Amino acid sequence: MKYVIEGNTITTELPLDFEAILTCGQTFRFKEENGAYEVFALGHKCIASGNKIVTDSPKFFASYFDLDTDYDKFMASLSEFDELNECIKVGKGIRILRQDLFEMIISFIISANNNIPRIKSIINRLCVSFGEQKDGYYAFPSPDRLAPVTKEEFRR
């Protein structure tokens, strides 16, 4: 079993390191509290900790966390190169997130010459100012919503 979806819960035996996945610079839309991560992506939300993901959108987050990809196969292939073995060890449990392209590009642009706390703060303000209010959070704004925003509004 790679993972099982039962109701609103994904349970997995995959070696997921949510702290490493979410803090390695791929995404900035999450909050951590006592080892549990509240993750926001494309108008969806989940709580991820240990070997569980709890969400109203289990299929979305199974895809978002790339649970169907066999990373062990990649690691076995890469381990043939001695110079990569330390990287494989350090990166165990990290997955490549399947993010919304628009949100990823805007986040990347914002990340230039910024540190992670500042990037998270800017993206959060962008979502609060222009994103749709959801269940306790704001979704990342769509391209159509951001298109008419003026430079002055962005600066604020």
Side-chain angles (χ1 to χ4, degrees), residues 93-119:
I94 294 178
R95 304 194 68 86
I96 298 171
L97 299 176
R98 293 181 174 215
Q99 300 177 74
D100 175 66
L101 181 61
F102 179 72
E103 181 175 342
M104 184 180 63
I105 290 170
I106 297 301
S107 297
F108 178 76
I109 291 167
I110 290 169
S111 73
N113 299 314
N114 281 310
N115 59 43
I116 289 177
R118 187 159 189 264
I119 297 164

Side-chain angles (χ1 to χ4, degrees), residues 61-155:
F61 280 104
S63 174
Y64 182 79
F65 285 110
D66 201 20
L67 300 182
D68 287 316
T69 299
D70 185 355
Y71 281 62
D72 287 338
K73 182 174 105 178
F74 293 127
M75 298 306 166
S77 176
L78 293 172
S79 69
E80 295 176 19
F81 303 94
D82 291 336
E83 59 269 32
L84 295 179
N85 284 325
E86 185 63 26
C87 297
I88 292 168
K89 198 182 317 175
V90 170
K92 186 133 179 99
I94 294 178
R95 304 194 68 86
I96 298 171
L97 299 176
R98 293 181 174 215
Q99 300 177 74
D100 175 66
L101 181 61
F102 179 72
E103 181 175 342
M104 184 180 63
I105 290 170
I106 297 301
S107 297
F108 178 76
I109 291 167
I110 290 169
S111 73
N113 299 314
N114 281 310
N115 59 43
I116 289 177
R118 187 159 189 264
I119 297 164
K120 288 179 72 172
S121 175
I122 292 169
I123 292 171
N124 184 58
R125 288 193 314 268
L126 183 70
C127 294
V128 168
S129 297
F130 305 109
E132 180 184 344
Q133 187 170 10
K134 296 284 190 169
D135 181 27
Y137 70 100
Y138 290 86
F140 196 87
S142 69
D144 290 340
R145 176 64 184 102
L146 291 179
V149 176
T150 65
K151 283 193 273 185
E152 291 75 26
E153 289 174 298
F154 276 124
R155 284 191 180 109

Side-chain angles (χ1 to χ4, degrees), residues 40-51:
F40 313 101
L42 203 59
H44 301 277
K45 174 175 81 171
C46 77
I47 304 292
S49 68
N51 68 336

